Amino acid sequence: MLDGEEHWNAMPAEILLSRKVGALHVKLVGDLISATAQVDLAARSRRPGFTLDGIVDYEEQVGPLEAAYRAAWQAVEAAPDRERRVPELDRLATALTAAVECVVGFARQRGVEVRLYRFGDPEH
């Protein structure tokens, strides 16, 4: 970014591009990016429930979960071999799942029906 701040999708993009992750991680990162973008669009269009207090609530709910998946990803990156990476990948999947569920839940509580587009699912 121009001001030196990391783009909010930088780490999810890094995860997507990594050869260390599996299909589950790719799906979860896609869900996270999609859900977050849909919440962002709702907030930008000034939908009810997306007041300043709502944005603070979002940061309070999602912030710790974002920190958790970032920490899990760093642990995956730091694992010296495949055998030690496996439990960290499980932790990453758990952290990403929690983040996706939180973002989707937050949006739905505010009347935004978030659609997750899952490649490979029979209904899509």
Side-chain angles (χ1 to χ4, degrees):
M1 301 203 59
L2 294 177
D3 60 5
E5 186 177 313
E6 181 181 67
H7 189 278
W8 64 275
N9 272 337
M11 185 164 288
E14 187 179 324
I15 295 168
L16 280 175
L17 296 173
S18 174
R19 291 183 177 183
K20 296 177 181 178
V21 299
L24 173 63
H25 302 95
V26 171
K27 284 182 177 184
L28 289 168
V29 169
D31 287 348
L32 182 61
I33 291 170
S34 177
T36 303
Q38 291 174 69
V39 167
D40 186 55
L41 285 172
R44 288 176 191 251
S45 66
R46 309 234 189 255
R47 292 198 48 172
F50 289 92
T51 62
L52 184 56
D53 288 339
I55 293 168
V56 170
D57 288 345
Y58 180 82
E59 289 299 322
E60 288 175 353
Q61 291 176 32
V62 176
L65 298 171
E66 182 177 299
Y69 81 71
R70 287 177 174 274
W73 174 243
Q74 289 169 348
V76 168
E77 287 284 275
D81 56 42
R82 181 178 250 160
E83 184 177 301
R84 293 184 203 152
R85 194 177 310 131
V86 170
E88 302 305 337
L89 286 167
D90 291 342
R91 193 174 82 147
L92 176 61
T94 299
L96 287 168
T97 299
V100 169
E101 289 174 355
C102 182
V103 172
V104 170
F106 178 88
R108 289 181 177 160
Q109 288 173 352
R110 283 151 182 81
V112 176
E113 188 58 36
V114 173
R115 293 183 186 95
L116 300 178
Y117 301 100
R118 295 195 165 146
F119 179 75
D121 282 354
E123 62 200 46
H124 294 104

